Amino acid sequence: MSITAERKEALIKEHAQGKGDTGSPEVQVALLSERINNLTEHFKAHVKDNHSRRGLLKMVSQRRQLLDYIKRSDEARYKELIERLNIRR
């Protein structure tokens, strides 16, 4: 269910604004999206896992807040990120 270190590094490199950038909203949204996708696959096999489902809902809410922040600050960045990550909105 968690992200491997190699996959995390790849996501950070792909979405980083500059060298050493691990905390920008784009990187955080990409990491959350990866974890959300992994948990979604987990729930296909483990339908009754309600404890993890609560964590999933918290992650979705956190990603939504970050996306709202990006949209407020720069709508072009928001649209480009949504398109790159294939997030419905």
Side-chain angles (χ1 to χ4, degrees), residues 66-89:
L66 286 166
L67 286 170
D68 288 343
Y69 167 74
I70 295 171
K71 188 174 184 179
R72 269 195 323 268
S73 62
D74 186 1
E75 192 155 342
R77 241 171 68 189
Y78 169 77
K79 288 183 180 184
E80 190 258 332
L81 182 63
I82 292 292
E83 192 173 304
R84 277 198 331 200
L85 293 175
N86 296 323
I87 298 174
R88 291 181 296 152
R89 177 59 188 185

Side-chain angles (χ1 to χ4, degrees), residues 19-67:
K19 188 175 188 294
D21 176 21
T22 59
S24 68
E26 289 87 353
V27 173
Q28 291 180 48
V29 169
L31 292 174
L32 281 170
S33 295
E34 183 72 18
R35 290 182 65 197
I36 288 168
N37 291 337
N38 288 345
L39 270 175
T40 304
E41 292 300 317
H42 168 79
F43 289 128
K44 290 179 182 175
H46 304 91
V47 179
K48 295 185 178 185
D49 187 2
N50 290 317
H51 290 83
S52 295
R53 192 173 308 276
R54 179 176 185 267
L56 172 71
L57 292 175
K58 287 178 72 172
M59 281 188 263
V60 169
S61 175
Q62 185 177 4
R63 180 177 73 176
R64 179 78 260 144
Q65 288 176 355
L66 286 166
L67 286 170

